[in-house]
């Protein structure tokens, strides 16, 4: 999942970005409204965290411009204590949630996870697809109630595929949403990760949860339901 953080306080921006990366997100950053607006408009962002008080154009103006051009990714706004008018304006313009500064990073992370899930149409923090359950709060995964250990990158790939279960996700879409700009993107790495996931999720090779759609990408074959599809 790829996040954008727009914040003009350098220390807050750096610590927030570091903490989000630690949690497995790809993070693009901007210290002013214009740069932030540009990144959100040009790159495949899954969610933006926007400080409202910025040195050039305000956070509300940034959100207004994105929404006017049809960009619908979730936006979490950061406001100063006491500026309830800004908060209301931000929400009216299309922000999805807000946090008042100073806030606890754990609360921000919980809100980010909830917004991402809801944007993909899930309300429960546990993504259940047939026998596969990904717990987005605990960052754990089980198959038929048995825990399966995943590396951080395996988890990221699986989370994206399960959030979009039933739909074909192209390799380009996966890399766009898993990597920040200016990072080395090797699609061979993705193939290796998907291969490892298949062995971990389906050691007996009976379920084939991650299907390859020739020339198109990958599809998590079990949709969000309790029953198993025909194998
Ligand atoms: Ca500020």
């Amino acid at each position: 999942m790829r996040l954008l953080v727009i914040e003009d306080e350098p220390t807050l921006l750096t610590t927030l970005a570091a903490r989000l990366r630690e949690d497995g997100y790809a993070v693009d950053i901007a210290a002013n409204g214009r740069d932030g607006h540009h990144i959100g408009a040009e790159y495949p962002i899954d969610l933006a965290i926007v400080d409202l008080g910025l040195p050039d154009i305000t956070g509300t103006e940034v959100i207004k411009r994105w929404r006017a051009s049809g960009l619908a990714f979730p936006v979490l706004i950061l406001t100063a204590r006491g500026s309830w008018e800004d908060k209301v304006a931000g929400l009216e313009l299309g922000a999805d949630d807000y946090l008042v500064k100073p806030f606890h990073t754990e609360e921000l992370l919980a809100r980010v996870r909830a917004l991402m899930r809801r944007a993909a149409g899930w309300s429960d923090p546990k993504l259940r697809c047939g026998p596969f359950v990904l717990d987005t709060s605990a960052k754990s995964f089980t198959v038929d109630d048995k825990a399966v250990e995943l590396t951080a990158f395996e988890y990221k790939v699986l989370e994206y595929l399960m959030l979009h279960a039933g739909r074909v996700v192209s390799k380009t879409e996966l890399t766009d949403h898993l990597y920040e700009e200016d990072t080395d993107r090797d699609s061979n790495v993705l193939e290796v990760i998907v291969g490892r996931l298949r062995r971990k999720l389906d050691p007996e090779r009976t379920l084939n949860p991650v299907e390859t759609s020739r020339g198109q990408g990958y599809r998590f074959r079990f949709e969000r339901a309790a029953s198993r599809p025909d194998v």
Side-chain angles (χ1 to χ4, degrees):
M1 293 287 151
R2 187 160 163 186
L3 309 189
L4 164 64
V5 184
I6 312 179
E7 169 60 64
D8 63 321
E9 283 171 47
T11 320
L12 181 56
L13 180 61
T14 317
T15 51
L16 214 50
R19 185 66 182 82
L20 288 163
R21 287 188 182 117
E22 207 176 286
D23 244 49
Y25 298 104
V27 185
D28 293 272
I29 55 170
N32 63 64
R34 282 201 176 78
D35 290 350
H37 172 264
H38 174 77
I39 295 171
E42 299 298 325
Y43 300 116
I45 295 300
D46 293 298
L47 177 144
I49 298 168
V50 180
D51 176 33
L52 291 186
L54 293 169
D56 51 349
I57 52 172
T58 63
T60 36
E61 182 60 30
V62 171
I63 299 164
K64 193 170 144 189
R65 291 183 191 179
W66 282 337
R67 296 311 193 218
S69 48
L71 294 164
F73 50 76
V75 175
L76 172 68
I77 53 180
L78 305 178
T79 67
R81 187 173 295 281
S83 60
W84 65 269
E85 296 95 336
D86 289 350
K87 188 162 74 193
V88 171
L91 292 170
E92 296 277 9
L93 286 167
D96 302 277
D97 199 0
Y98 68 90
L99 266 179
V100 176
K101 291 180 184 176
F103 51 83
H104 290 284
T105 314
E106 291 310 313
E107 184 176 1
L108 178 123
L109 292 168
R111 285 174 189 259
V112 164
R113 286 193 295 268
L115 284 172
M116 297 274 220
R117 278 197 317 267
R118 273 186 252 135
W122 298 78
S123 49
D124 191 324
K126 287 184 179 164
L127 312 183
R128 296 169 198 275
C129 296
F132 306 99
V133 180
L134 187 85
D135 185 333
T136 59
S137 296
K139 304 253 175 204
S140 60
F141 178 71
T142 57
V143 181
D144 282 327
D145 299 322
K146 284 190 285 290
V148 175
E149 290 293 324
L150 300 175
T151 66
F153 203 79
E154 287 166 358
Y155 178 91
K156 284 206 267 188
V157 172
L158 183 60
E159 180 186 47
Y160 197 88
L161 291 174
M162 283 183 73
L163 277 170
H164 301 95
R167 166 163 94 62
V168 175
V169 175
S170 72
K171 285 183 195 171
T172 313
E173 178 179 345
L174 261 178
T175 46
D176 276 352
H177 289 267
L178 300 179
Y179 294 100
E180 297 157 23
E181 279 311 294
D182 310 321
T183 45
D184 182 27
R185 299 157 179 233
D186 185 346
S187 71
N188 294 322
V189 172
L190 200 58
E191 282 167 26
V192 171
I193 298 292
V194 170
R196 283 204 323 236
L197 275 174
R198 284 190 173 124
R199 287 192 291 279
K200 287 189 177 184
L201 270 59
D202 181 29
E204 313 289 330
R205 294 181 171 269
T206 50
L207 301 169
N208 186 26
V210 184
E211 195 175 59
T212 300
S213 193
R214 287 270 162 252
Q216 293 188 66
Y218 304 109
R219 186 172 80 99
F220 199 86
R221 213 167 57 83
F222 289 72
E223 300 197 30
R224 60 183 92 170
S227 59
R228 294 179 179 206
D230 294 331
V231 175

